[in-house]
Amino acid sequence: MGSHRRSPASPRALTGQGARVTVLSAAFATAATTLAAAPAGAAPPDSPDRARAEVRRLYTEAERATQAYNGAGEKAKALRTALARTQDRMARTQDQVNALREALAPIAGAQYRSGGLDPALMLLLSADPDGYLDQATTLDRMGVVGGQRLRGLRHARRTLDQERREADALLGELERSRRTLARHKDTVRQRLARAKTLLAALPEGERALDARASRSGRPDPGLPLTGAAASPHAAAALATARTALGSPYVWGANGPSRFDCSGLVQWSYARAGVGLPRTSQAQAGAGRRIPLSEARPGDLVVYRADASHIGLYAGGGRVIHAPYPGAPVRYDPVGMMPISSVTRV
């Protein structure tokens, strides 16, 4: 018997004979395909204010690409899990085929010695076993047991062929996912490199990029300034996020010491015993939508129309989030940028 591949258990692993792969949300796909490339040779802005505005634009595009990168990474992980499981099934089916062929050999040999080529022997010697099996119409010469084994072999070989086709399809999809991952990684790096160049060109005293000054920075007047968390796990997630205050923003990171925006949310809730998706778009749909006026500590506040930024409502009209490169995990006013939704997990 051959050895079997074992695939690790995963809460997001794909299951089923067809190894169906989860499709990225329409919002994520739209955000991923509408990123505008900044011209490589673009002239630098002619004032510090315009330079900072351009840096903020580049950071926004980099964050969108980061969420696309995170989503592609999750898809690749699911594909690898599905492929490992399909390969494991292939190994088991191949063992079954080998065992059935070995069991049929003595029956075929005995009937050959008694005066004829038995269908099973022809099967074993055939250069096209599947073609022969499709044409074999009589199994009664082999007896009941032999006939059952031959039918079992035919079924096992067809199953093995189907599993091989599934594996080939998954390998192709995994390769496409790898190319998507690389494309989004390049986009992030290009935007961040351009932003770094612009900031470096500013006078030293002009290099600070303070989101509090650049955005509205005003809490929504309809928000309650105090209140208990909506649930024990929301309270635990918020408490965990507070332990990350001061940690650096690193795109694609989800803890325990570096974070991007959705990475901080996922890590905080995971430590509270709740599994959330990796991207801000998927996190926005991971619970129940509530009005902004009903936000309570631990709720998820989602920003921009494409849901490309996210934080945890901390109470007092503030959120805790991972803002952008160079800005550590911190509190900011909940109204720092346009809010698209609030989600209660």
Side-chain angles (χ1 to χ4, degrees):
M1 302 289 284
S3 61
H4 303 147
R5 290 177 53 90
R6 300 296 183 195
S7 58
S10 168
R12 295 176 61 78
L14 302 184
T15 58
Q17 181 72 20
R20 296 176 176 85
V21 178
T22 302
V23 179
L24 297 178
S25 68
F28 159 71
T30 300
T33 56
T34 56
L35 295 173
D46 55 7
S47 73
D49 285 344
R50 291 185 180 180
R52 282 191 291 268
E54 177 67 5
V55 169
R56 287 191 291 271
R57 185 187 69 80
L58 290 166
Y59 279 163
T60 297
E61 290 187 357
E63 191 162 40
R64 288 170 177 154
T66 295
Q67 295 307 311
Y69 172 86
N70 292 338
E74 287 296 288
K75 183 177 180 181
K77 185 188 301 183
L79 285 166
R80 285 192 293 269
T81 299
L83 179 60
R85 291 186 172 182
T86 299
Q87 290 171 333
D88 184 69
R89 292 200 308 271
M90 286 173 59
R92 293 178 183 276
T93 305
Q94 185 64 64
D95 285 347
Q96 183 183 4
V97 168
N98 293 342
L100 286 167
R101 288 169 69 96
E102 291 172 4
L104 284 166
I107 300 174
Q111 294 200 4
Y112 175 73
R113 288 191 295 273
S114 69
L117 277 177
D118 183 87
L121 182 61
M122 294 177 64
L123 172 70
L124 292 171
L125 297 176
S126 174
D128 182 15
D130 290 331
Y132 176 77
L133 284 172
D134 290 337
Q135 298 172 26
T137 57
T138 175
L139 302 175
D140 55 341
R141 292 178 57 199
M142 301 184 65
V144 175
V145 174
Q148 289 175 343
R149 287 174 176 169
L150 185 58
R151 282 189 290 270
L153 178 58
R154 177 166 51 189
H155 176 74
R157 289 188 62 88
R158 287 175 175 170
T159 299
L160 185 60
D161 286 344
Q162 175 62 29
E163 289 167 348
R164 284 173 176 159
R165 287 192 292 270
E166 288 180 14
D168 288 343
L170 286 169
L171 282 169
E173 184 66 16
L174 183 57
E175 179 56 33
R176 288 190 290 274
S177 182
R178 285 172 178 161
R179 290 196 296 267
T180 299
L181 201 64
R183 185 171 68 252
H184 293 314
K185 180 184 290 188
D186 287 344
T187 299
V188 175
R189 288 177 171 172
Q190 289 169 11
R191 301 302 190 272
L192 295 183
R194 173 66 177 158
K196 183 178 180 180
T197 299
L198 288 173
L199 287 175
L202 289 173
E204 186 172 353
E206 300 281 355
R207 293 176 187 172
L209 188 70
D210 191 343
R212 295 178 180 85
S214 63
R215 296 166 180 164
S216 68
R218 296 183 178 181
D220 186 277
L223 272 171
L225 297 183
T226 60
S231 66
H233 60 251
L238 180 58
T240 298
R242 285 176 172 142
T243 68
L245 286 167
S247 298
Y249 178 103
V250 175
W251 71 272
N254 62 341
S257 58
R258 306 183 303 171
F259 303 92
D260 61 24
C261 68
S262 58
L264 175 66
V265 170
Q266 185 188 50
W267 177 78
S268 299
Y269 266 91
R271 294 287 293 271
V274 178
L276 290 182
R278 181 62 180 90
T279 68
S280 56
Q281 291 90 355
Q283 290 170 0
R288 178 171 61 90
R289 296 285 180 91
I290 60 172
L292 178 62
S293 60
E294 296 179 11
R296 295 170 68 179
D299 289 339
L300 309 184
V301 183
V302 186
Y303 293 95
R304 305 191 187 107
D306 60 0
S308 58
H309 190 77
I310 194 166
L312 288 87
Y313 185 60
R318 299 183 301 170
V319 291
I320 182 171
H321 68 137
Y324 51 80
V329 175
R330 70 188 189 193
Y331 293 109
D332 268 324
V334 70
M336 61 184 177
M337 66 177 89
I339 297 171
S340 61
S341 64
V342 179
T343 297
R344 178 161 296 161
V345 178

